[in-house]
Amino acid sequence: MTVETNSEQETFAFGRSLGEAAVPGQVYALEGDLGVGKTVLTKGLAAGLGVKEAVCSPTFTIVQIYEEGRLPLYHFDVYRIGDIEEMEEIGYEDYFYGEGVCLVEWANLITELLPPQTIRIRIEKVSERGFDFRKITVEERE
């Protein structure tokens, strides 16, 4: 599935729809360049789960946990992961195979750790279509 958005609000709304449809144990692998809107989509997904607190990218903590929504949200940012062992140290399997929803920014850096049913979301800027245009591709990994 491919979705096109023309503003941060539309990207947020698409993320919200993902959150509203999310089920326990779902893992989303979020990929895209710096500044493309990964955190905007994540904020929307969190809103769709009913998360009320401010959502920010956990670049230095690796995982941020939000538990007040209808399902827990485990928001990973693995951009600074130097070694797969760091994921093991934080107990990633408890999150990836738990009852919450995981969203992993920069997931392409830990592809070998992702569960088989991970949903891959790729966000791309297409500058010819305007500054705020985003092409969002969603596909299930198998």
Side-chain angles (χ1 to χ4, degrees), residues 4-5 9-10 13 15 21 35 49 51 55 59 61 63 65 69-70 76 78-79 83-84 90 92 106 124 133 137-138:
E4 297 178 348
T5 64
Q9 293 82 4
E10 288 181 13
L49 287 171
V51 173
V55 173
T59 303
T61 58
V63 64
I65 300 168
R70 70 175 176 86
F76 287 81
V78 298
Y79 184 75
D83 190 297
I84 293 299
I90 62 171
Y92 79 92
W106 299 100
E124 301 171 88
F133 179 85
T137 306
V138 180

Side-chain angles (χ1 to χ4, degrees), residues 3-5 16 18-19 26 28 37 40 76 84-85 109 120:
V3 174
E4 297 178 348
T5 64
R16 178 187 291 269
L18 291 174
Q26 185 61 65
Y28 295 96
V40 170
F76 287 81
I84 293 299
E85 289 178 12
L109 300 175
R120 180 176 180 245

Side-chain angles (χ1 to χ4, degrees), residues 61-133:
T61 58
I62 301 175
V63 64
Q64 182 69 41
I65 300 168
Y66 304 94
E67 296 186 288
E68 78 277 1
R70 70 175 176 86
L71 295 169
L73 172 61
Y74 308 116
H75 178 199
F76 287 81
D77 183 330
V78 298
Y79 184 75
R80 297 194 184 282
I81 289 287
D83 190 297
I84 293 299
E85 289 178 12
E86 290 179 60
M87 290 296 289
E88 292 172 3
E89 289 171 10
I90 62 171
Y92 79 92
E93 289 177 322
D94 293 338
Y95 301 109
F96 285 12
Y97 298 98
E99 291 301 309
V101 174
C102 290
L103 187 136
V104 185
E105 292 190 41
W106 299 100
N108 54 303
L109 300 175
I110 61 160
T111 302
E112 63 272 23
L113 299 180
L114 298 172
Q117 299 304 315
T118 297
I119 294 177
R120 180 176 180 245
I121 302 171
R122 174 113 184 112
I123 305 176
E124 301 171 88
K125 280 185 176 184
V126 181
S127 54
E128 303 83 50
R129 302 275 308 266
F131 181 77
D132 292 322
F133 179 85

